[in-house]
Amino acid sequence: MNIHKHLVWLLLSSCISCDDNADVNTPDKIGIPERQFVFERIHLEERRGERVLWKGTGRRADGDLNEADVEDIELQCAGKGKRAGDFVIRSPRAHLFFDQGVATFQDVHITDEAGGILEAGEAQYEQEKGQIVASGPLTFAIHGLETAADRAVILIDEGTVDIAGPVRGVYIRPPSIKD
């Protein structure tokens, strides 16, 4: 990540207009903007070696190479292991902390390969723990089971969604194929 910071610094120092008396060779001599980029229609991806940890898109992002605010984000998180699955996270607003491997999503909608749908007021992705922690109130629905709870933990590499209570739920039996 350090190389990227230097590239941004080079790009910024070549793009900033200075007066003739300013010394642009040191970062403390020029005014570095609070936000160092604003991108429209972006593609995001994080890799560890050949493995893609997550990838996705956003309508707009502003920030720097350490962190960014992203609007209308959609990320696909891929787990590793036999039981792992893909989870798709959609949110109108997110804050990504690249160096820490953490992201916070507002009004989040998460789907999984098995057909589960989790909706929550907020969710936090923690790369190091391989999990997404959603807080609510939240709802989780899958194959006729509809629940409401206060908290859920998605273990990405395990492919599980654990909901914590109090949990209120109802099972609605899907229509029979014979009907």
PDB file of all heavy atoms in Angstrom, residues 46-85:
ATOM      1  N   GLU A  46     -10.216  -6.238  -3.924  1.00  0.00           N
ATOM      2  CA  GLU A  46      -9.085  -6.466  -3.033  1.00  0.00           C
ATOM      3  C   GLU A  46      -8.637  -7.902  -3.180  1.00  0.00           C
ATOM      4  O   GLU A  46      -9.452  -8.824  -3.148  1.00  0.00           O
ATOM      5  CB  GLU A  46      -9.432  -6.172  -1.572  1.00  0.00           C
ATOM      6  CG  GLU A  46      -8.221  -6.369  -0.697  1.00  0.00           C
ATOM      7  CD  GLU A  46      -8.358  -5.817   0.697  1.00  0.00           C
ATOM      8  OE1 GLU A  46      -9.367  -5.169   0.994  1.00  0.00           O
ATOM      9  OE2 GLU A  46      -7.440  -6.043   1.495  1.00  0.00           O
ATOM     10  N   ARG A  47      -7.336  -8.074  -3.314  1.00  0.00           N
ATOM     11  CA  ARG A  47      -6.742  -9.404  -3.498  1.00  0.00           C
ATOM     12  C   ARG A  47      -5.704  -9.674  -2.417  1.00  0.00           C
ATOM     13  O   ARG A  47      -5.062  -8.762  -1.930  1.00  0.00           O
ATOM     14  CB  ARG A  47      -6.039  -9.490  -4.847  1.00  0.00           C
ATOM     15  CG  ARG A  47      -6.931  -9.386  -6.019  1.00  0.00           C
ATOM     16  CD  ARG A  47      -6.098  -9.374  -7.312  1.00  0.00           C
ATOM     17  NE  ARG A  47      -6.961  -9.442  -8.451  1.00  0.00           N
ATOM     18  CZ  ARG A  47      -7.250 -10.560  -9.101  1.00  0.00           C
ATOM     19  NH1 ARG A  47      -6.706 -11.684  -8.732  1.00  0.00           N
ATOM     20  NH2 ARG A  47      -8.069 -10.548 -10.123  1.00  0.00           N
ATOM     21  N   ARG A  48      -5.539 -10.926  -2.113  1.00  0.00           N
ATOM     22  CA  ARG A  48      -4.419 -11.420  -1.312  1.00  0.00           C
ATOM     23  C   ARG A  48      -3.768 -12.495  -2.175  1.00  0.00           C
ATOM     24  O   ARG A  48      -4.303 -13.584  -2.312  1.00  0.00           O
ATOM     25  CB  ARG A  48      -4.875 -12.035   0.008  1.00  0.00           C
ATOM     26  CG  ARG A  48      -5.352 -11.041   1.006  1.00  0.00           C
ATOM     27  CD  ARG A  48      -4.172 -10.222   1.571  1.00  0.00           C
ATOM     28  NE  ARG A  48      -4.619  -9.326   2.594  1.00  0.00           N
ATOM     29  CZ  ARG A  48      -4.894  -8.042   2.395  1.00  0.00           C
ATOM     30  NH1 ARG A  48      -4.766  -7.517   1.214  1.00  0.00           N
ATOM     31  NH2 ARG A  48      -5.282  -7.281   3.387  1.00  0.00           N
ATOM     32  N   GLY A  49      -2.652 -12.144  -2.785  1.00  0.00           N
ATOM     33  CA  GLY A  49      -2.028 -13.064  -3.737  1.00  0.00           C
ATOM     34  C   GLY A  49      -2.951 -13.217  -4.939  1.00  0.00           C
ATOM     35  O   GLY A  49      -3.387 -12.237  -5.527  1.00  0.00           O
ATOM     36  N   GLU A  50      -3.280 -14.432  -5.287  1.00  0.00           N
ATOM     37  CA  GLU A  50      -4.176 -14.693  -6.413  1.00  0.00           C
ATOM     38  C   GLU A  50      -5.652 -14.721  -5.993  1.00  0.00           C
ATOM     39  O   GLU A  50      -6.535 -14.736  -6.838  1.00  0.00           O
ATOM     40  CB  GLU A  50      -3.820 -16.031  -7.076  1.00  0.00           C
ATOM     41  CG  GLU A  50      -2.456 -16.027  -7.727  1.00  0.00           C
ATOM     42  CD  GLU A  50      -2.385 -15.014  -8.861  1.00  0.00           C
ATOM     43  OE1 GLU A  50      -3.307 -14.976  -9.696  1.00  0.00           O
ATOM     44  OE2 GLU A  50      -1.399 -14.247  -8.903  1.00  0.00           O
ATOM     45  N   ARG A  51      -5.921 -14.747  -4.688  1.00  0.00           N
ATOM     46  CA  ARG A  51      -7.294 -14.846  -4.181  1.00  0.00           C
ATOM     47  C   ARG A  51      -7.961 -13.472  -4.121  1.00  0.00           C
ATOM     48  O   ARG A  51      -7.402 -12.535  -3.558  1.00  0.00           O
ATOM     49  CB  ARG A  51      -7.276 -15.468  -2.793  1.00  0.00           C
ATOM     50  CG  ARG A  51      -8.653 -15.630  -2.199  1.00  0.00           C
ATOM     51  CD  ARG A  51      -8.600 -16.405  -0.898  1.00  0.00           C
ATOM     52  NE  ARG A  51      -9.920 -16.403  -0.326  1.00  0.00           N
ATOM     53  CZ  ARG A  51     -10.210 -15.888   0.861  1.00  0.00           C
ATOM     54  NH1 ARG A  51      -9.272 -15.421   1.636  1.00  0.00           N
ATOM     55  NH2 ARG A  51     -11.449 -15.915   1.309  1.00  0.00           N
ATOM     56  N   VAL A  52      -9.148 -13.369  -4.703  1.00  0.00           N
ATOM     57  CA  VAL A  52      -9.942 -12.146  -4.618  1.00  0.00           C
ATOM     58  C   VAL A  52     -10.768 -12.223  -3.341  1.00  0.00           C
ATOM     59  O   VAL A  52     -11.591 -13.118  -3.179  1.00  0.00           O
ATOM     60  CB  VAL A  52     -10.870 -11.985  -5.848  1.00  0.00           C
ATOM     61  CG1 VAL A  52     -11.765 -10.766  -5.683  1.00  0.00           C
ATOM     62  CG2 VAL A  52     -10.048 -11.881  -7.122  1.00  0.00           C
ATOM     63  N   LEU A  53     -10.527 -11.288  -2.404  1.00  0.00           N
ATOM     64  CA  LEU A  53     -11.284 -11.257  -1.151  1.00  0.00           C
ATOM     65  C   LEU A  53     -12.671 -10.678  -1.373  1.00  0.00           C
ATOM     66  O   LEU A  53     -13.646 -11.178  -0.830  1.00  0.00           O
ATOM     67  CB  LEU A  53     -10.549 -10.434  -0.096  1.00  0.00           C
ATOM     68  CG  LEU A  53      -9.198 -10.964   0.345  1.00  0.00           C
ATOM     69  CD1 LEU A  53      -8.544  -9.999   1.311  1.00  0.00           C
ATOM     70  CD2 LEU A  53      -9.334 -12.339   0.963  1.00  0.00           C
ATOM     71  N   TRP A  54     -12.730  -9.588  -2.130  1.00  0.00           N
ATOM     72  CA  TRP A  54     -14.007  -8.989  -2.490  1.00  0.00           C
ATOM     73  C   TRP A  54     -13.823  -8.132  -3.721  1.00  0.00           C
ATOM     74  O   TRP A  54     -12.734  -7.686  -4.034  1.00  0.00           O
ATOM     75  CB  TRP A  54     -14.629  -8.191  -1.348  1.00  0.00           C
ATOM     76  CG  TRP A  54     -13.748  -7.175  -0.683  1.00  0.00           C
ATOM     77  CD1 TRP A  54     -13.026  -7.341   0.462  1.00  0.00           C
ATOM     78  CD2 TRP A  54     -13.492  -5.832  -1.112  1.00  0.00           C
ATOM     79  NE1 TRP A  54     -12.349  -6.187   0.758  1.00  0.00           N
ATOM     80  CE2 TRP A  54     -12.617  -5.241  -0.191  1.00  0.00           C
ATOM     81  CE3 TRP A  54     -13.926  -5.071  -2.195  1.00  0.00           C
ATOM     82  CZ2 TRP A  54     -12.162  -3.942  -0.304  1.00  0.00           C
ATOM     83  CZ3 TRP A  54     -13.469  -3.768  -2.304  1.00  0.00           C
ATOM     84  CH2 TRP A  54     -12.605  -3.225  -1.357  1.00  0.00           C
ATOM     85  N   LYS A  55     -14.924  -7.954  -4.430  1.00  0.00           N
ATOM     86  CA  LYS A  55     -14.918  -7.078  -5.602  1.00  0.00           C
ATOM     87  C   LYS A  55     -16.296  -6.457  -5.714  1.00  0.00           C
ATOM     88  O   LYS A  55     -17.269  -6.978  -5.168  1.00  0.00           O
ATOM     89  CB  LYS A  55     -14.560  -7.851  -6.874  1.00  0.00           C
ATOM     90  CG  LYS A  55     -15.539  -8.938  -7.232  1.00  0.00           C
ATOM     91  CD  LYS A  55     -15.098  -9.678  -8.463  1.00  0.00           C
ATOM     92  CE  LYS A  55     -16.067 -10.812  -8.760  1.00  0.00           C
ATOM     93  NZ  LYS A  55     -15.668 -11.538  -9.946  1.00  0.00           N
ATOM     94  N   GLY A  56     -16.360  -5.323  -6.403  1.00  0.00           N
ATOM     95  CA  GLY A  56     -17.654  -4.689  -6.526  1.00  0.00           C
ATOM     96  C   GLY A  56     -17.594  -3.371  -7.256  1.00  0.00           C
ATOM     97  O   GLY A  56     -16.584  -3.018  -7.871  1.00  0.00           O
ATOM     98  N   THR A  57     -18.696  -2.635  -7.146  1.00  0.00           N
ATOM     99  CA  THR A  57     -18.828  -1.361  -7.833  1.00  0.00           C
ATOM    100  C   THR A  57     -19.419  -0.330  -6.885  1.00  0.00           C
ATOM    101  O   THR A  57     -20.033  -0.666  -5.873  1.00  0.00           O
ATOM    102  CB  THR A  57     -19.760  -1.486  -9.059  1.00  0.00           C
ATOM    103  OG1 THR A  57     -21.044  -1.927  -8.611  1.00  0.00           O
ATOM    104  CG2 THR A  57     -19.207  -2.453 -10.086  1.00  0.00           C
ATOM    105  N   GLY A  58     -19.235   0.914  -7.234  1.00  0.00           N
ATOM    106  CA  GLY A  58     -19.826   2.023  -6.503  1.00  0.00           C
ATOM    107  C   GLY A  58     -20.149   3.144  -7.475  1.00  0.00           C
ATOM    108  O   GLY A  58     -19.483   3.296  -8.498  1.00  0.00           O
ATOM    109  N   ARG A  59     -21.192   3.906  -7.159  1.00  0.00           N
ATOM    110  CA  ARG A  59     -21.568   5.016  -8.028  1.00  0.00           C
ATOM    111  C   ARG A  59     -20.585   6.178  -7.883  1.00  0.00           C
ATOM    112  O   ARG A  59     -20.202   6.812  -8.844  1.00  0.00           O
ATOM    113  CB  ARG A  59     -22.988   5.490  -7.731  1.00  0.00           C
ATOM    114  CG  ARG A  59     -23.463   6.620  -8.675  1.00  0.00           C
ATOM    115  CD  ARG A  59     -24.882   7.058  -8.395  1.00  0.00           C
ATOM    116  NE  ARG A  59     -25.086   7.554  -7.048  1.00  0.00           N
ATOM    117  CZ  ARG A  59     -24.727   8.776  -6.633  1.00  0.00           C
ATOM    118  NH1 ARG A  59     -24.143   9.619  -7.435  1.00  0.00           N
ATOM    119  NH2 ARG A  59     -24.968   9.148  -5.386  1.00  0.00           N
ATOM    120  N   ARG A  60     -20.162   6.438  -6.639  1.00  0.00           N
ATOM    121  CA  ARG A  60     -19.270   7.570  -6.382  1.00  0.00           C
ATOM    122  C   ARG A  60     -18.439   7.251  -5.144  1.00  0.00           C
ATOM    123  O   ARG A  60     -18.933   6.669  -4.188  1.00  0.00           O
ATOM    124  CB  ARG A  60     -20.099   8.828  -6.128  1.00  0.00           C
ATOM    125  CG  ARG A  60     -19.301  10.078  -5.905  1.00  0.00           C
ATOM    126  CD  ARG A  60     -20.252  11.276  -5.746  1.00  0.00           C
ATOM    127  NE  ARG A  60     -19.553  12.517  -5.904  1.00  0.00           N
ATOM    128  CZ  ARG A  60     -18.901  13.147  -4.929  1.00  0.00           C
ATOM    129  NH1 ARG A  60     -18.882  12.634  -3.718  1.00  0.00           N
ATOM    130  NH2 ARG A  60     -18.289  14.285  -5.152  1.00  0.00           N
ATOM    131  N   ALA A  61     -17.175   7.661  -5.172  1.00  0.00           N
ATOM    132  CA  ALA A  61     -16.303   7.468  -4.010  1.00  0.00           C
ATOM    133  C   ALA A  61     -15.404   8.672  -3.855  1.00  0.00           C
ATOM    134  O   ALA A  61     -14.948   9.244  -4.842  1.00  0.00           O
ATOM    135  CB  ALA A  61     -15.455   6.215  -4.175  1.00  0.00           C
ATOM    136  N   ASP A  62     -15.184   9.065  -2.606  1.00  0.00           N
ATOM    137  CA  ASP A  62     -14.190  10.096  -2.355  1.00  0.00           C
ATOM    138  C   ASP A  62     -13.409   9.720  -1.106  1.00  0.00           C
ATOM    139  O   ASP A  62     -13.941   9.155  -0.169  1.00  0.00           O
ATOM    140  CB  ASP A  62     -14.817  11.494  -2.248  1.00  0.00           C
ATOM    141  CG  ASP A  62     -15.735  11.662  -1.070  1.00  0.00           C
ATOM    142  OD1 ASP A  62     -16.726  10.913  -0.976  1.00  0.00           O
ATOM    143  OD2 ASP A  62     -15.474  12.539  -0.241  1.00  0.00           O
ATOM    144  N   GLY A  63     -12.114   9.974  -1.149  1.00  0.00           N
ATOM    145  CA  GLY A  63     -11.258   9.617  -0.041  1.00  0.00           C
ATOM    146  C   GLY A  63      -9.812   9.622  -0.450  1.00  0.00           C
ATOM    147  O   GLY A  63      -9.391  10.423  -1.287  1.00  0.00           O
ATOM    148  N   ASP A  64      -9.059   8.698   0.122  1.00  0.00           N
ATOM    149  CA  ASP A  64      -7.663   8.536  -0.236  1.00  0.00           C
ATOM    150  C   ASP A  64      -7.369   7.045  -0.229  1.00  0.00           C
ATOM    151  O   ASP A  64      -8.285   6.237  -0.174  1.00  0.00           O
ATOM    152  CB  ASP A  64      -6.745   9.328   0.708  1.00  0.00           C
ATOM    153  CG  ASP A  64      -6.955   8.974   2.174  1.00  0.00           C
ATOM    154  OD1 ASP A  64      -7.236   7.794   2.480  1.00  0.00           O
ATOM    155  OD2 ASP A  64      -6.822   9.873   3.022  1.00  0.00           O
ATOM    156  N   LEU A  65      -6.093   6.673  -0.275  1.00  0.00           N
ATOM    157  CA  LEU A  65      -5.779   5.249  -0.335  1.00  0.00           C
ATOM    158  C   LEU A  65      -5.875   4.551   1.021  1.00  0.00           C
ATOM    159  O   LEU A  65      -5.706   3.346   1.104  1.00  0.00           O
ATOM    160  CB  LEU A  65      -4.392   5.043  -0.941  1.00  0.00           C
ATOM    161  CG  LEU A  65      -4.306   5.426  -2.413  1.00  0.00           C
ATOM    162  CD1 LEU A  65      -2.886   5.251  -2.920  1.00  0.00           C
ATOM    163  CD2 LEU A  65      -5.280   4.608  -3.241  1.00  0.00           C
ATOM    164  N   ASN A  66      -6.185   5.284   2.071  1.00  0.00           N
ATOM    165  CA  ASN A  66      -6.399   4.683   3.387  1.00  0.00           C
ATOM    166  C   ASN A  66      -7.869   4.400   3.656  1.00  0.00           C
ATOM    167  O   ASN A  66      -8.207   3.396   4.256  1.00  0.00           O
ATOM    168  CB  ASN A  66      -5.861   5.585   4.493  1.00  0.00           C
ATOM    169  CG  ASN A  66      -4.367   5.737   4.433  1.00  0.00           C
ATOM    170  OD1 ASN A  66      -3.658   4.762   4.223  1.00  0.00           O
ATOM    171  ND2 ASN A  66      -3.890   6.951   4.590  1.00  0.00           N
ATOM    172  N   GLU A  67      -8.736   5.340   3.231  1.00  0.00           N
ATOM    173  CA  GLU A  67     -10.158   5.185   3.481  1.00  0.00           C
ATOM    174  C   GLU A  67     -10.959   5.989   2.468  1.00  0.00           C
ATOM    175  O   GLU A  67     -10.452   6.942   1.876  1.00  0.00           O
ATOM    176  CB  GLU A  67     -10.528   5.594   4.897  1.00  0.00           C
ATOM    177  CG  GLU A  67     -10.224   7.033   5.242  1.00  0.00           C
ATOM    178  CD  GLU A  67     -10.518   7.354   6.692  1.00  0.00           C
ATOM    179  OE1 GLU A  67     -11.691   7.661   6.992  1.00  0.00           O
ATOM    180  OE2 GLU A  67      -9.588   7.288   7.510  1.00  0.00           O
ATOM    181  N   ALA A  68     -12.218   5.584   2.286  1.00  0.00           N
ATOM    182  CA  ALA A  68     -13.074   6.286   1.321  1.00  0.00           C
ATOM    183  C   ALA A  68     -14.537   6.129   1.708  1.00  0.00           C
ATOM    184  O   ALA A  68     -14.936   5.115   2.289  1.00  0.00           O
ATOM    185  CB  ALA A  68     -12.854   5.736  -0.084  1.00  0.00           C
ATOM    186  N   ASP A  69     -15.320   7.154   1.375  1.00  0.00           N
ATOM    187  CA  ASP A  69     -16.775   7.086   1.473  1.00  0.00           C
ATOM    188  C   ASP A  69     -17.286   6.711   0.091  1.00  0.00           C
ATOM    189  O   ASP A  69     -16.888   7.326  -0.906  1.00  0.00           O
ATOM    190  CB  ASP A  69     -17.353   8.451   1.875  1.00  0.00           C
ATOM    191  CG  ASP A  69     -17.001   8.814   3.304  1.00  0.00           C
ATOM    192  OD1 ASP A  69     -17.143   7.942   4.180  1.00  0.00           O
ATOM    193  OD2 ASP A  69     -16.577   9.959   3.539  1.00  0.00           O
ATOM    194  N   VAL A  70     -18.163   5.710   0.035  1.00  0.00           N
ATOM    195  CA  VAL A  70     -18.668   5.220  -1.246  1.00  0.00           C
ATOM    196  C   VAL A  70     -20.187   5.251  -1.220  1.00  0.00           C
ATOM    197  O   VAL A  70     -20.804   4.861  -0.231  1.00  0.00           O
ATOM    198  CB  VAL A  70     -18.170   3.784  -1.537  1.00  0.00           C
ATOM    199  CG1 VAL A  70     -18.631   3.325  -2.904  1.00  0.00           C
ATOM    200  CG2 VAL A  70     -16.655   3.699  -1.433  1.00  0.00           C
ATOM    201  N   GLU A  71     -20.784   5.704  -2.319  1.00  0.00           N
ATOM    202  CA  GLU A  71     -22.242   5.737  -2.458  1.00  0.00           C
ATOM    203  C   GLU A  71     -22.684   4.626  -3.407  1.00  0.00           C
ATOM    204  O   GLU A  71     -21.993   4.317  -4.378  1.00  0.00           O
ATOM    205  CB  GLU A  71     -22.682   7.088  -3.031  1.00  0.00           C
ATOM    206  CG  GLU A  71     -22.392   8.248  -2.110  1.00  0.00           C
ATOM    207  CD  GLU A  71     -22.714   9.592  -2.748  1.00  0.00           C
ATOM    208  OE1 GLU A  71     -23.349   9.616  -3.827  1.00  0.00           O
ATOM    209  OE2 GLU A  71     -22.330  10.609  -2.177  1.00  0.00           O
ATOM    210  N   ASP A  72     -23.855   4.070  -3.126  1.00  0.00           N
ATOM    211  CA  ASP A  72     -24.452   3.011  -3.949  1.00  0.00           C
ATOM    212  C   ASP A  72     -23.441   1.918  -4.267  1.00  0.00           C
ATOM    213  O   ASP A  72     -23.105   1.646  -5.410  1.00  0.00           O
ATOM    214  CB  ASP A  72     -25.044   3.587  -5.242  1.00  0.00           C
ATOM    215  CG  ASP A  72     -26.181   4.535  -4.965  1.00  0.00           C
ATOM    216  OD1 ASP A  72     -26.890   4.340  -3.954  1.00  0.00           O
ATOM    217  OD2 ASP A  72     -26.365   5.489  -5.737  1.00  0.00           O
ATOM    218  N   ILE A  73     -22.996   1.267  -3.212  1.00  0.00           N
ATOM    219  CA  ILE A  73     -21.968   0.246  -3.333  1.00  0.00           C
ATOM    220  C   ILE A  73     -22.591  -1.147  -3.407  1.00  0.00           C
ATOM    221  O   ILE A  73     -23.622  -1.415  -2.790  1.00  0.00           O
ATOM    222  CB  ILE A  73     -20.964   0.337  -2.163  1.00  0.00           C
ATOM    223  CG1 ILE A  73     -19.755  -0.568  -2.400  1.00  0.00           C
ATOM    224  CG2 ILE A  73     -21.646   0.044  -0.838  1.00  0.00           C
ATOM    225  CD1 ILE A  73     -18.617  -0.318  -1.426  1.00  0.00           C
ATOM    226  N   GLU A  74     -21.968  -2.001  -4.189  1.00  0.00           N
ATOM    227  CA  GLU A  74     -22.319  -3.417  -4.246  1.00  0.00           C
ATOM    228  C   GLU A  74     -21.017  -4.200  -4.241  1.00  0.00           C
ATOM    229  O   GLU A  74     -20.186  -4.040  -5.128  1.00  0.00           O
ATOM    230  CB  GLU A  74     -23.117  -3.751  -5.500  1.00  0.00           C
ATOM    231  CG  GLU A  74     -23.493  -5.216  -5.572  1.00  0.00           C
ATOM    232  CD  GLU A  74     -24.373  -5.546  -6.767  1.00  0.00           C
ATOM    233  OE1 GLU A  74     -25.390  -4.861  -6.948  1.00  0.00           O
ATOM    234  OE2 GLU A  74     -24.033  -6.496  -7.492  1.00  0.00           O
ATOM    235  N   LEU A  75     -20.825  -5.035  -3.210  1.00  0.00           N
ATOM    236  CA  LEU A  75     -19.612  -5.834  -3.079  1.00  0.00           C
ATOM    237  C   LEU A  75     -19.964  -7.309  -3.003  1.00  0.00           C
ATOM    238  O   LEU A  75     -20.937  -7.695  -2.360  1.00  0.00           O
ATOM    239  CB  LEU A  75     -18.853  -5.478  -1.797  1.00  0.00           C
ATOM    240  CG  LEU A  75     -18.157  -4.140  -1.718  1.00  0.00           C
ATOM    241  CD1 LEU A  75     -17.459  -3.995  -0.378  1.00  0.00           C
ATOM    242  CD2 LEU A  75     -17.167  -3.971  -2.845  1.00  0.00           C
ATOM    243  N   GLN A  76     -19.141  -8.118  -3.628  1.00  0.00           N
ATOM    244  CA  GLN A  76     -19.277  -9.565  -3.537  1.00  0.00           C
ATOM    245  C   GLN A  76     -18.092 -10.083  -2.734  1.00  0.00           C
ATOM    246  O   GLN A  76     -16.940  -9.863  -3.105  1.00  0.00           O
ATOM    247  CB  GLN A  76     -19.289 -10.194  -4.925  1.00  0.00           C
ATOM    248  CG  GLN A  76     -19.449 -11.689  -4.882  1.00  0.00           C
ATOM    249  CD  GLN A  76     -19.505 -12.300  -6.272  1.00  0.00           C
ATOM    250  OE1 GLN A  76     -19.411 -11.612  -7.274  1.00  0.00           O
ATOM    251  NE2 GLN A  76     -19.655 -13.600  -6.318  1.00  0.00           N
ATOM    252  N   CYS A  77     -18.384 -10.738  -1.603  1.00  0.00           N
ATOM    253  CA  CYS A  77     -17.352 -11.313  -0.740  1.00  0.00           C
ATOM    254  C   CYS A  77     -17.318 -12.814  -0.988  1.00  0.00           C
ATOM    255  O   CYS A  77     -18.351 -13.478  -0.883  1.00  0.00           O
ATOM    256  CB  CYS A  77     -17.665 -11.068   0.732  1.00  0.00           C
ATOM    257  SG  CYS A  77     -17.725  -9.347   1.189  1.00  0.00           S
ATOM    258  N   ALA A  78     -16.146 -13.327  -1.278  1.00  0.00           N
ATOM    259  CA  ALA A  78     -16.001 -14.759  -1.529  1.00  0.00           C
ATOM    260  C   ALA A  78     -15.264 -15.397  -0.365  1.00  0.00           C
ATOM    261  O   ALA A  78     -14.183 -14.954  -0.002  1.00  0.00           O
ATOM    262  CB  ALA A  78     -15.239 -14.989  -2.827  1.00  0.00           C
ATOM    263  N   GLY A  79     -15.860 -16.420   0.194  1.00  0.00           N
ATOM    264  CA  GLY A  79     -15.216 -17.146   1.272  1.00  0.00           C
ATOM    265  C   GLY A  79     -14.296 -18.214   0.711  1.00  0.00           C
ATOM    266  O   GLY A  79     -14.282 -18.496  -0.480  1.00  0.00           O
ATOM    267  N   LYS A  80     -13.522 -18.816   1.598  1.00  0.00           N
ATOM    268  CA  LYS A  80     -12.662 -19.918   1.174  1.00  0.00           C
ATOM    269  C   LYS A  80     -13.030 -21.134   2.004  1.00  0.00           C
ATOM    270  O   LYS A  80     -13.508 -21.015   3.120  1.00  0.00           O
ATOM    271  CB  LYS A  80     -11.189 -19.561   1.317  1.00  0.00           C
ATOM    272  CG  LYS A  80     -10.755 -19.295   2.743  1.00  0.00           C
ATOM    273  CD  LYS A  80      -9.292 -18.956   2.825  1.00  0.00           C
ATOM    274  CE  LYS A  80      -8.919 -18.717   4.289  1.00  0.00           C
ATOM    275  NZ  LYS A  80      -7.556 -18.382   4.481  1.00  0.00           N
ATOM    276  N   GLY A  81     -12.832 -22.279   1.467  1.00  0.00           N
ATOM    277  CA  GLY A  81     -13.168 -23.505   2.171  1.00  0.00           C
ATOM    278  C   GLY A  81     -14.366 -24.194   1.548  1.00  0.00           C
ATOM    279  O   GLY A  81     -15.059 -23.645   0.689  1.00  0.00           O
ATOM    280  N   LYS A  82     -14.628 -25.421   2.001  1.00  0.00           N
ATOM    281  CA  LYS A  82     -15.691 -26.253   1.423  1.00  0.00           C
ATOM    282  C   LYS A  82     -17.084 -25.678   1.633  1.00  0.00           C
ATOM    283  O   LYS A  82     -17.935 -25.765   0.778  1.00  0.00           O
ATOM    284  CB  LYS A  82     -15.626 -27.663   2.010  1.00  0.00           C
ATOM    285  CG  LYS A  82     -14.399 -28.426   1.627  1.00  0.00           C
ATOM    286  CD  LYS A  82     -14.392 -29.800   2.270  1.00  0.00           C
ATOM    287  CE  LYS A  82     -13.100 -30.515   1.930  1.00  0.00           C
ATOM    288  NZ  LYS A  82     -13.015 -31.820   2.588  1.00  0.00           N
ATOM    289  N   ARG A  83     -17.330 -25.109   2.801  1.00  0.00           N
ATOM    290  CA  ARG A  83     -18.680 -24.627   3.130  1.00  0.00           C
ATOM    291  C   ARG A  83     -18.889 -23.162   2.763  1.00  0.00           C
ATOM    292  O   ARG A  83     -19.983 -22.641   2.904  1.00  0.00           O
ATOM    293  CB  ARG A  83     -18.929 -24.811   4.619  1.00  0.00           C
ATOM    294  CG  ARG A  83     -18.890 -26.281   5.023  1.00  0.00           C
ATOM    295  CD  ARG A  83     -19.235 -26.469   6.446  1.00  0.00           C
ATOM    296  NE  ARG A  83     -20.612 -26.005   6.649  1.00  0.00           N
ATOM    297  CZ  ARG A  83     -21.111 -25.680   7.820  1.00  0.00           C
ATOM    298  NH1 ARG A  83     -20.373 -25.767   8.887  1.00  0.00           N
ATOM    299  NH2 ARG A  83     -22.346 -25.268   7.938  1.00  0.00           N
ATOM    300  N   ALA A  84     -17.839 -22.504   2.325  1.00  0.00           N
ATOM    301  CA  ALA A  84     -17.922 -21.065   2.054  1.00  0.00           C
ATOM    302  C   ALA A  84     -18.839 -20.780   0.878  1.00  0.00           C
ATOM    303  O   ALA A  84     -19.051 -21.615   0.009  1.00  0.00           O
ATOM    304  CB  ALA A  84     -16.533 -20.517   1.759  1.00  0.00           C
ATOM    305  N   GLY A  85     -19.372 -19.593   0.893  1.00  0.00           N
ATOM    306  CA  GLY A  85     -20.210 -19.148  -0.213  1.00  0.00           C
ATOM    307  C   GLY A  85     -19.936 -17.701  -0.509  1.00  0.00           C
ATOM    308  O   GLY A  85     -19.146 -17.044   0.164  1.00  0.00           O
TER     309      GLY A  85
END
